[in-house]
Amino acid sequence: MPIQLPLDVVDQVLCHTDDPSDVLSVALCNRALHSVAIPHHLYYRDIRTRLTNISLWNWLSRLDDLRAEHIRSLTILPDQDSDFYDMNYSYDLRERLPPDFTPSSPIPLTAYRDLDVCRQSEMVLIATLRRTSRLQRFRWHRIPPPLSEGQENIWTVLRRLDTLSEIDLYDGGSLELGVPPMLTSPELYSLANLTTLKLRSEGNKLFPDAAGPEVPSGLQNMLLQNLPNLEVLALELDICEEIDGTANINHLLESAWWPKLRYLRLKGVNCTVVPLVRFLSIHSSLEYLCLAQMMPGHAWPRLAAEIPNTALPNLRYLNCSSAQAAALLGASLPNLKTLIGVEVHESIIDKDYFTWDDDWAEEDGYDDYDDSAEMKSPWREQLLENLKAHPSITHLGISSVKTMQDIETVAAIAPQITELEIGVTSQSLKIPRSEWLRSVSLFTKLEVITGGHFVWFDPYNELTTEAVEEANNSIQALVKACPRLRVILVAPHAKKAVIIRERNGMQYGLETVRPVRWVVRKWEESEAAAAKAGEVVYGA
């Protein structure tokens, strides 16, 4: 079909088209539209690169070039992959640059953290940000954080962008490299009208106080006053600490009201029961919830008693401790599909789960309580009872296993599980593989399993002949134990094996299962049970 509009008009239309799939649809209409939509727009929608890519920033900030305004998402990558290792987020850290950009000679790795190099790089990045008039998402995953010097810095420039709705920040390495943490930047807290805020920080170590870490007042004001339309909040005030030395967020839970909030992830914080119940009760839009371990700590029985049965009606994903799960699963939670982070040990040691709580100890009369002694799990029975009452849960993550009885107990009360994650510990690695196979075979509907007890793939290199043979033996044995199995993951965000079966090769329920073929893929790649062009197929 001939073009009805001049190409310069099409270009302006695409400037106001945010969804990359819509841009691609236009490009597929004919060659003329393709020549505008792909090189000038689609290639610029998502840029991922290192701060020290000075040649890119100079190229995008030229006054005679308008392509910077086509950028919707900009990610500052870590200088080295080892700088940013986060098992809880699905990040693609591969560099993504426009094909028509020709980079200059890269800065030597040894100079990446030179403060003068960082300062120069930030200056030209800021010049680029001034021209990204339609930027919607900004992510900083680099160690250290921005220098944020002077009145014109990254945060003040971002504040002037009316289109910005998502901020995703990693605040690490400040102490070692002499750069102030993001949590000390008042300009950061001036950002407003965001719908997504993700902040992971080591910052609590930088606020020494006799009473313990605190939530920065600027951050609290930002959350309560500047972000009324918040939909996604990930607040990890200390990525290194779960139990001791966490910041109290009672005031935030007592005061916050985000009617559109659907995703909440909290780490390195603590609270008491009443503010937590209040918050969960009024935020019925929540679909994803991850709670810090000390929310509310030892007071989990009171949480179980006070959480309304009608709370969290839209919740689909819950990541929490066994004590928290025992309490929250007392609510009906009709849409819950995924439960991550629990264990069903018969005995526990208190200090592995909680820090000492003076208020709890005084109120409940535990003056002589020994938190180092092994004791019967106070939540196991209630957790198992409530787990059995939620047949909607089909994806279960078990944080640790002491004996195979843990797995067998869960299989007996939750036979509906189709996806199972099992955390690797020094204790679980001592269990023979034959026992693992016998236990996981009890999950008769299992399709996806995650855990390093079954198979291992080198995350960086291709499989050797010996590794292929070892992996194939493990996979064939696992498929025999779990005939419906489709995917085997080494760990979250690691490589995986995707099972390929012949159409007439296997029928569920047969005692004899034919050997299968399999391919190795990255965690973010397709789980389609068919080999792609160029893939190496292993197995039968």
Side-chain angles (χ1 to χ4, degrees), residues 221-241:
N221 292 336
M222 175 191 187
L223 289 167
L224 296 176
Q225 300 175 17
N226 296 2
L227 309 180
N229 297 314
L230 203 59
E231 298 177 17
V232 174
L233 174 60
L235 189 60
E236 302 184 39
L237 288 185
D238 196 329
I239 58 179
C240 303
E241 182 56 66

Side-chain angles (χ1 to χ4, degrees), residues 354-481:
F354 309 116
T355 190
W356 188 258
D357 184 336
D358 291 335
D359 294 336
W360 162 79
E362 181 178 349
E363 181 174 340
D364 293 317
Y366 286 100
D367 293 334
D368 299 322
Y369 187 75
D370 184 359
D371 63 350
S372 300
E374 188 168 359
M375 58 184 287
K376 180 181 178 181
S377 172
W379 53 74
R380 182 178 188 269
E381 184 176 338
Q382 185 173 344
L383 171 61
L384 292 174
E385 179 182 348
N386 288 343
L387 180 60
K388 186 176 182 179
H390 286 79
S392 63
I393 297 175
T394 56
H395 179 179
L396 181 66
I398 302 176
S399 60
S400 63
V401 172
K402 289 184 177 179
T403 70
M404 285 298 93
Q405 185 178 351
D406 293 349
I407 297 293
E408 293 162 9
T409 299
V410 173
I413 65 169
Q416 77 276 6
I417 297 300
T418 60
E419 186 167 352
L420 181 65
E421 298 180 20
I422 303 173
V424 176
T425 65
S426 58
Q427 194 167 3
S428 66
L429 287 174
K430 297 176 182 177
I431 300 173
R433 185 168 295 179
S434 59
E435 291 190 32
W436 279 109
L437 293 173
R438 176 179 56 81
S439 297
V440 298
S441 69
L442 300 176
F443 292 93
T444 58
K445 297 182 179 181
L446 197 62
E447 298 180 9
V448 180
I449 191 165
T450 301
H453 308 90
F454 310 104
V455 65
W456 177 259
F457 301 123
D458 188 314
Y460 305 106
N461 302 309
E462 299 297 325
L463 294 178
T464 63
T465 303
E466 294 78 9
V468 169
E469 181 178 357
E470 182 179 353
N472 186 60
N473 291 338
S474 299
I475 289 172
Q476 301 299 341
L478 193 53
V479 170
K480 186 175 181 180

